[in-house]
Structure formats: C-alpha cells, structure tokens
Amino acid sequence: MRIRATVAAVSGALALSALAVPAAQAGDHSAANLHKPTSAAEVFGTAAKGSSKAAAATRAATAEPVISKVVVNGGKGIVLGTTATKTISVSVTASHPDGVVDAYADLWHGTDPSSENTIDGAIRPNEDAATCTKVNATTSTCKLTLTIDPRYDLYKNSLAGTWHVTAGALAGNDTDFAWTDFYSTARVQRLSKLTVNAAPEPVKKGGTITVTGKLSRANWEDHAYHGYTGQPVKLQFRKKTSSTYTTVKTIKTNSTGNLKTTVKASVDGYWRYSFAGTSTTPAVTTAGDFVDVK
C-alpha cells in the first residue's frame, strides 16, 4: 500500500506547497484544511527517486504513464445541500508499458496549487491507494472515492461552480509517473428546491388559477435555504389526458425567491414549475399539481 503521507518538502522539481490556510478546528465552520499535494512525491512516495539526477535521467528516457480518461461522479455535477455529506467516485484510466498500479485524483478550487493563499477549496481521496483493475497488460482503470462535507469543505458560497481535477498515475515499475493539477474540471453546486401550488381546486371553466411557488437553494455559510432571486422559471401544463408538458409562460422569482402568476382555467390538468439551473445551482422541476376544471 502506498501511503499518501504529508511531507514538509522534497528537493528539486518535486517541492510541495505549504498549507494554504490553517487546518480547521473542531466546530469551526469558517475555514477548511486546504492542504493539497502538488506532486507524486507525496502521493506515490517517489521523493527519494525523484531527487536523484540518475533517477530523473532514467525517467526522461522512459515514457510516463498516459492518462486517457478521468470520470468524476459519473460525469454528473456534484450537488450538496446544507449539512449532509456526499461521497463520490472518481475513476482514472491510464496506460504504461509496465502497467499501472496506482492512481490519484482530487478536486481543488483556486488558481495556482503550487502557491500559498491561492487555493480556497480542496477535497482529497479517502483511500491511501486506488483500487486498480486491469483492462489489459498495459492499461488499468483505478478507482477512488472523495467525501465532501458542506459544513466544512464548502464553507463559503463562492465555492459553487467550477473546480479543477488533479489526476496522477504510477507505473508498475514504481518509478514512472504522470501528474497534472489541471487534467479537467468538475462542477460543484448548491442544492436547489422548488415548490408549486395551483389554486383554487376545483375551479370553474374560464376562471382564474393562481400558481404560486418558491425557488430556494442551499446557503453553505449559514446552513439554511434561502430564496434564489431574479431567476427565470417556466410555468408548464399538461392535460389530464396527455403525458407531455408544454411551457405556458416564463416568470422570474422575486426578491425572496417566490413565484406567482395567473392563468385561465380551460381543461383538467397538471401545473408545474421548472428551473433550468445555473453554473452554481442545478436544474429542478416540481411534480405536477392537479386542478379539476368544472
């Protein structure tokens, strides 16, 4: 098992960055432990090999592993509410003539992982080593898990949006490795909620139906849900005899995230609201609220 131990520093090109901010103390929701490894020295334990000129020359003469694919959370956005933790999977597929025996992946938010005070979010894997499955003699797919706690890891709302994905792979010779802090990106979002109520029920044909609702989303700073203001939301309808919704109109949430509009009653059917989502907040659609038209 390769131990992903924290080391203060290693020589040469494998020097590690210092902690971006102090580790969070128990009960402290204002800071996170943002230590992020920036080389294979810490992750794969290759510092000694990497510090010698002979080893560096040997690596230069051989091929690094080729990382061909990294899949984070099944390719879907990572959505978190106010308190519940979420564990996601990450798979790294890589190849090398000597095979691949370990891989690494993390998520980080910021600009430069090698400089202090430029990372404000970091999620490291749970495992000391990845579980690798051979695809063939030279290629393996290695799996890891990452657990995110919105109470600590997502301590400010500005962390919603695009995060960087680090990827690394270690060859079967325990010497050759590939590493990049900018392999791809992943989207981390604030959980959204949407409600709908169409009234009165029943209603006379030609009468007025008032459709109300509210769009809210998780606030990672106070661990509550607040209205998402000024957002376009579609009012949709389907007849009782149909399975397809059509958009009737689009309205915007008010200063508290509330929705309210009116329509004329014509036939029995279901009314719902649908929000398309933003880069920081996922799409959400309510169930249909049935209105009986007499």
Side-chain angles (χ1 to χ4, degrees):
M1 177 180 292
R2 291 169 180 80
I3 304 301
R4 307 194 199 285
T6 301
V7 295
V10 294
S11 60
L14 298 179
L16 301 179
S17 64
L19 297 186
V21 298
Q25 301 299 315
D28 178 9
H29 293 190
S30 62
N33 182 354
L34 299 184
H35 172 65
K36 174 190 153 34
T38 58
S39 78
E42 180 173 352
V43 174
F44 299 133
T46 57
K49 299 174 185 178
S51 62
S52 72
K53 291 182 179 180
T58 300
R59 282 205 313 277
T62 59
E64 294 180 352
V66 175
I67 300 172
S68 58
K69 188 177 183 181
V70 176
V71 179
V72 178
N73 196 36
K76 301 178 292 184
I78 304 165
V79 181
L80 289 108
T82 56
T83 58
T85 61
K86 175 170 285 190
T87 298
I88 64 169
S89 62
V90 181
S91 66
V92 178
T93 301
S95 303
H96 187 272
D98 292 324
V100 173
V101 294
D102 196 8
Y104 178 85
D106 66 35
L107 302 179
W108 63 277
H109 189 272
T111 56
D112 183 358
S114 65
S115 300
E116 292 184 37
N117 304 319
T118 63
I119 298 179
D120 57 1
I123 312 295
R124 293 187 290 173
N126 297 317
E127 298 83 5
D128 290 330
T131 299
C132 295
T133 302
K134 285 187 176 182
V135 177
N136 53 48
T138 62
T139 303
S140 291
T141 295
C142 302
K143 295 185 178 181
L144 297 155
T145 62
L146 284 71
T147 298
I148 307 172
D149 187 337
R151 297 169 297 176
Y152 299 97
D153 300 314
L154 305 176
Y155 58 96
K156 58 181 180 178
N157 292 325
S158 59
L159 291 172
T162 301
W163 285 54
H164 298 286
V165 178
T166 298
L170 180 68
N173 57 21
D174 276 349
T175 299
D176 296 326
F177 58 83
W179 186 271
T180 174
D181 290 306
F182 296 91
Y183 183 86
S184 61
T185 59
R187 182 167 289 180
V188 179
Q189 297 177 304
R190 298 160 61 180
L191 179 64
S192 54
K193 296 182 178 182
L194 185 59
T195 63
V196 67
N197 182 58
E201 304 171 46
V203 63
K204 291 184 179 180
K205 186 172 182 179
T208 298
I209 298 173
T210 300
V211 188
T212 58
K214 183 170 185 175
L215 175 64
S216 58
R217 60 176 177 168
N219 185 309
W220 293 334
E221 296 173 11
D222 65 6
H223 314 294
Y225 284 86
H226 299 282
Y228 197 6
T229 66
Q231 298 302 308
V233 178
K234 294 179 180 178
L235 174 66
Q236 299 179 326
F237 176 75
R238 74 173 175 89
K239 295 179 181 179
K240 182 179 179 180
T241 56
S242 172
S243 60
T244 303
Y245 278 92
T246 58
T247 297
V248 176
K249 63 173 76 174
T250 299
I251 62 174
K252 286 190 175 183
T253 57
N254 67 10
S255 61
T256 57
N258 289 316
L259 295 156
K260 184 176 181 179
T261 190
T262 59
V263 291
K264 292 295 183 181
S266 58
V267 296
D268 294 352
Y270 298 84
W271 295 93
R272 73 180 188 184
Y273 279 124
S274 181
F275 172 59
T278 63
S279 61
T280 61
T281 310
V284 60
T285 299
T286 68
D289 187 18
F290 181 73
V291 175
D292 182 15
V293 179
K294 297 295 187 179

